[in-house]
Amino acid sequence: MEQPADQATLRLLMTQHQLATADLPEIGSKSMVSRVLSGERSLNKNHIKALSQRFQIDPGLFF
């Protein structure tokens, strides 16, 4: 089963940059990052904007 684009992009960024759940203050707490990765929550507009700026990527990659 294919995962949503926001989860897949976040996982890829975490792998490429060797980041742990605690390394993403743009999303919030470690538990919030875990909820996004597990599919319980989705990234909101502010999360996507902050992550796009941090990693200098197109926000459209999250959709």
Side-chain angles (χ1 to χ4, degrees), residues 3-60:
Q3 56 184 306
D6 60 342
Q7 284 180 29
T9 302
L10 183 58
R11 285 184 191 283
L12 180 62
L13 289 170
M14 290 177 72
T15 300
Q16 287 178 335
H17 297 273
Q18 299 178 338
L19 300 172
T21 54
D23 298 327
L24 294 163
E26 296 84 0
I27 298 174
S29 66
K30 290 183 348 179
S31 63
M32 179 60 177
V33 176
S34 293
R35 285 187 212 128
V36 171
L37 292 172
S38 71
E40 290 179 39
R41 300 286 301 263
S42 295
L43 294 174
N44 66 35
K45 186 172 107 177
N46 292 329
H47 296 148
I48 292 170
K49 182 179 177 182
L51 290 167
S52 297
Q53 289 174 348
R54 175 178 175 179
F55 296 107
Q56 299 180 345
I57 59 173
D58 185 320

